[in-house]
mmCIF file of all heavy atoms in Angstrom:
data_model
loop_
_atom_site.group_PDB
_atom_site.id
_atom_site.type_symbol
_atom_site.label_atom_id
_atom_site.label_comp_id
_atom_site.label_asym_id
_atom_site.label_seq_id
_atom_site.Cartn_x
_atom_site.Cartn_y
_atom_site.Cartn_z
ATOM 1 N N ASP C 318 -20.898 -39.518 4.676
ATOM 2 C CA ASP C 318 -19.907 -39.964 3.696
ATOM 3 C C ASP C 318 -20.296 -39.549 2.279
ATOM 4 O O ASP C 318 -19.456 -39.041 1.491
ATOM 5 C CB ASP C 318 -19.751 -41.479 3.781
ATOM 6 C CG ASP C 318 -18.417 -41.940 3.296
ATOM 7 O OD1 ASP C 318 -17.505 -41.136 3.168
ATOM 8 O OD2 ASP C 318 -18.269 -43.151 3.017
ATOM 9 N N LEU C 319 -21.565 -39.723 1.962
ATOM 10 C CA LEU C 319 -22.034 -39.338 0.619
ATOM 11 C C LEU C 319 -21.980 -37.816 0.430
ATOM 12 O O LEU C 319 -21.549 -37.314 -0.603
ATOM 13 C CB LEU C 319 -23.456 -39.835 0.411
ATOM 14 C CG LEU C 319 -24.142 -39.428 -0.893
ATOM 15 C CD1 LEU C 319 -23.342 -39.952 -2.092
ATOM 16 C CD2 LEU C 319 -25.578 -39.925 -0.961
ATOM 17 N N ALA C 320 -22.375 -37.069 1.459
ATOM 18 C CA ALA C 320 -22.368 -35.597 1.388
ATOM 19 C C ALA C 320 -20.950 -35.107 1.186
ATOM 20 O O ALA C 320 -20.710 -34.204 0.373
ATOM 21 C CB ALA C 320 -23.012 -34.990 2.615
ATOM 22 N N ALA C 321 -19.975 -35.647 1.927
ATOM 23 C CA ALA C 321 -18.602 -35.237 1.772
ATOM 24 C C ALA C 321 -18.093 -35.505 0.356
ATOM 25 O O ALA C 321 -17.426 -34.666 -0.267
ATOM 26 C CB ALA C 321 -17.723 -35.951 2.805
ATOM 27 N N TYR C 322 -18.402 -36.668 -0.169
ATOM 28 C CA TYR C 322 -18.009 -37.017 -1.532
ATOM 29 C C TYR C 322 -18.614 -36.045 -2.532
ATOM 30 O O TYR C 322 -17.940 -35.562 -3.449
ATOM 31 C CB TYR C 322 -18.423 -38.447 -1.809
ATOM 32 C CG TYR C 322 -18.043 -38.954 -3.189
ATOM 33 C CD1 TYR C 322 -16.855 -39.583 -3.415
ATOM 34 C CD2 TYR C 322 -18.914 -38.791 -4.270
ATOM 35 C CE1 TYR C 322 -16.506 -40.029 -4.695
ATOM 36 C CE2 TYR C 322 -18.593 -39.231 -5.551
ATOM 37 C CZ TYR C 322 -17.364 -39.864 -5.741
ATOM 38 O OH TYR C 322 -17.031 -40.311 -6.994
ATOM 39 N N ARG C 323 -19.917 -35.756 -2.389
ATOM 40 C CA ARG C 323 -20.589 -34.886 -3.347
ATOM 41 C C ARG C 323 -20.057 -33.469 -3.265
ATOM 42 O O ARG C 323 -19.962 -32.765 -4.299
ATOM 43 C CB ARG C 323 -22.093 -34.892 -3.113
ATOM 44 C CG ARG C 323 -22.780 -36.228 -3.417
ATOM 45 C CD ARG C 323 -22.555 -36.680 -4.820
ATOM 46 N NE ARG C 323 -23.336 -37.875 -5.160
ATOM 47 C CZ ARG C 323 -23.131 -38.627 -6.226
ATOM 48 N NH1 ARG C 323 -22.134 -38.310 -7.041
ATOM 49 N NH2 ARG C 323 -23.862 -39.662 -6.442
ATOM 50 N N VAL C 324 -19.749 -32.980 -2.090
ATOM 51 C CA VAL C 324 -19.191 -31.645 -1.960
ATOM 52 C C VAL C 324 -17.856 -31.540 -2.726
ATOM 53 O O VAL C 324 -17.623 -30.609 -3.476
ATOM 54 C CB VAL C 324 -18.996 -31.280 -0.473
ATOM 55 C CG1 VAL C 324 -18.117 -30.049 -0.323
ATOM 56 C CG2 VAL C 324 -20.350 -31.026 0.187
ATOM 57 N N ILE C 325 -16.993 -32.535 -2.546
ATOM 58 C CA ILE C 325 -15.716 -32.517 -3.246
ATOM 59 C C ILE C 325 -15.943 -32.649 -4.734
ATOM 60 O O ILE C 325 -15.300 -31.945 -5.563
ATOM 61 C CB ILE C 325 -14.818 -33.632 -2.725
ATOM 62 C CG1 ILE C 325 -14.508 -33.426 -1.235
ATOM 63 C CG2 ILE C 325 -13.534 -33.731 -3.537
ATOM 64 C CD1 ILE C 325 -13.748 -34.557 -0.581
ATOM 65 N N GLN C 326 -16.850 -33.508 -5.135
ATOM 66 C CA GLN C 326 -17.113 -33.691 -6.570
ATOM 67 C C GLN C 326 -17.619 -32.406 -7.225
ATOM 68 O O GLN C 326 -17.141 -32.010 -8.283
ATOM 69 C CB GLN C 326 -18.137 -34.805 -6.750
ATOM 70 C CG GLN C 326 -18.449 -35.144 -8.209
ATOM 71 C CD GLN C 326 -19.526 -36.193 -8.308
ATOM 72 O OE1 GLN C 326 -20.530 -36.153 -7.587
ATOM 73 N NE2 GLN C 326 -19.334 -37.176 -9.191
ATOM 74 N N GLU C 327 -18.559 -31.733 -6.571
ATOM 75 C CA GLU C 327 -19.117 -30.511 -7.150
ATOM 76 C C GLU C 327 -18.079 -29.413 -7.150
ATOM 77 O O GLU C 327 -17.985 -28.645 -8.111
ATOM 78 C CB GLU C 327 -20.363 -30.104 -6.360
ATOM 79 C CG GLU C 327 -21.045 -28.858 -6.907
ATOM 80 C CD GLU C 327 -21.527 -29.015 -8.332
ATOM 81 O OE1 GLU C 327 -21.902 -30.148 -8.731
ATOM 82 O OE2 GLU C 327 -21.488 -28.025 -9.073
ATOM 83 N N ALA C 328 -17.295 -29.301 -6.084
ATOM 84 C CA ALA C 328 -16.286 -28.272 -6.011
ATOM 85 C C ALA C 328 -15.235 -28.464 -7.097
ATOM 86 O O ALA C 328 -14.841 -27.472 -7.775
ATOM 87 C CB ALA C 328 -15.598 -28.270 -4.652
ATOM 88 N N LEU C 329 -14.761 -29.691 -7.332
ATOM 89 C CA LEU C 329 -13.794 -29.917 -8.400
ATOM 90 C C LEU C 329 -14.409 -29.696 -9.761
ATOM 91 O O LEU C 329 -13.721 -29.241 -10.698
ATOM 92 C CB LEU C 329 -13.239 -31.339 -8.285
ATOM 93 C CG LEU C 329 -12.356 -31.628 -7.072
ATOM 94 C CD1 LEU C 329 -11.926 -33.075 -7.046
ATOM 95 C CD2 LEU C 329 -11.152 -30.712 -7.055
ATOM 96 N N THR C 330 -15.688 -29.995 -9.902
ATOM 97 C CA THR C 330 -16.367 -29.750 -11.191
ATOM 98 C C THR C 330 -16.396 -28.245 -11.471
ATOM 99 O O THR C 330 -16.142 -27.804 -12.585
ATOM 100 C CB THR C 330 -17.781 -30.310 -11.152
ATOM 101 O OG1 THR C 330 -17.737 -31.690 -10.909
ATOM 102 C CG2 THR C 330 -18.510 -30.031 -12.482
#
Side-chain angles (χ1 to χ4, degrees):
D318 205 15
L319 175 60
Y322 180 91
R323 292 303 187 193
V324 166
I325 297 173
Q326 183 184 43
E327 181 59 34
L329 292 178
T330 301

